């Protein structure tokens, strides 16, 4: 079955960086657009970034544009999210998703990112 497993979250300092990874299985990864989304405490799911199948292009939410980069490795079935200049308000549960924007056809279980000094 479709599985999306995120990793790379943790505690980071303000101004720091993290790279999240999402390992996909159970479907032909290269044929699907993929996204990253996040959910902060008490808030709804926020789409952050998407990448077209075969890496044909990327798109970002205005709230994170310039600070995050989404990429993919179709040989390894992995999608990445590089996050720089982290802020406390980036604290959230980060999800990998199948699809370019909501509603997603699959969602991972999430990896926690906490930004605090």
């Amino acid at each position: 079955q479709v599985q999306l497993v995120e990793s790379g979250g943790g505690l980071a300092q303000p101004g720091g960086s993290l790279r999240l990874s999402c390992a996909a299985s159970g479907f032909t990864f290269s044929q699907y657009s993929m996204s990253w989304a996040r959910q902060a405490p008490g808030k709804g799911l926020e789409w952050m970034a998407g990448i077209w199948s075969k890496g044909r292009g990327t798109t970002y939410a205005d709230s994170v544009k310039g600070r995050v980069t989404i990429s993919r490795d179709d040989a390894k079935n992995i999608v990445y999210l590089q996050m720089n200049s982290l802020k406390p308000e980036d604290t959230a549960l980060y999800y990998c998703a199948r699809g370019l924007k909501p509603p997603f056809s699959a969602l991972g279980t999430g990896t926690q990112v906490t930004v605090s000094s």
Side-chain angles (χ1 to χ4, degrees):
Q1 74 270 23
V2 174
Q3 278 197 310
L4 301 171
V5 180
E6 302 91 340
S7 61
L11 178 64
Q13 291 196 338
S17 298
L18 281 175
R19 188 176 83 153
L20 307 182
S21 300
C22 170
S25 61
F27 63 101
T28 306
F29 178 75
S30 63
Q31 294 182 358
Y32 285 85
S33 299
M34 299 294 294
S35 289
W36 284 93
R38 65 186 178 184
Q39 186 165 24
K43 296 190 177 181
L45 190 66
E46 175 193 15
W47 172 82
M48 299 174 62
I51 184 166
W52 271 264
S53 62
K54 299 179 172 61
R56 290 175 291 167
T58 57
T59 180
Y60 298 93
D62 288 343
S63 60
V64 299
K65 195 176 294 183
R67 293 197 301 122
V68 306
T69 303
I70 187 171
S71 60
R72 63 191 296 158
D73 185 336
D74 286 351
K76 296 181 179 179
N77 289 2
I78 296 177
V79 59
Y80 301 99
L81 185 72
Q82 176 69 42
M83 301 192 295
N84 301 321
S85 303
L86 286 166
K87 306 174 183 179
E89 51 263 45
D90 292 320
T91 295
L93 191 58
Y94 284 71
Y95 295 95
C96 171
R98 190 175 71 174
L100 199 57
K101 288 195 176 183
F104 301 115
S105 55
L107 197 66
T109 53
T111 186
Q112 178 67 40
V113 171
T114 302
V115 183
S116 174
S117 55

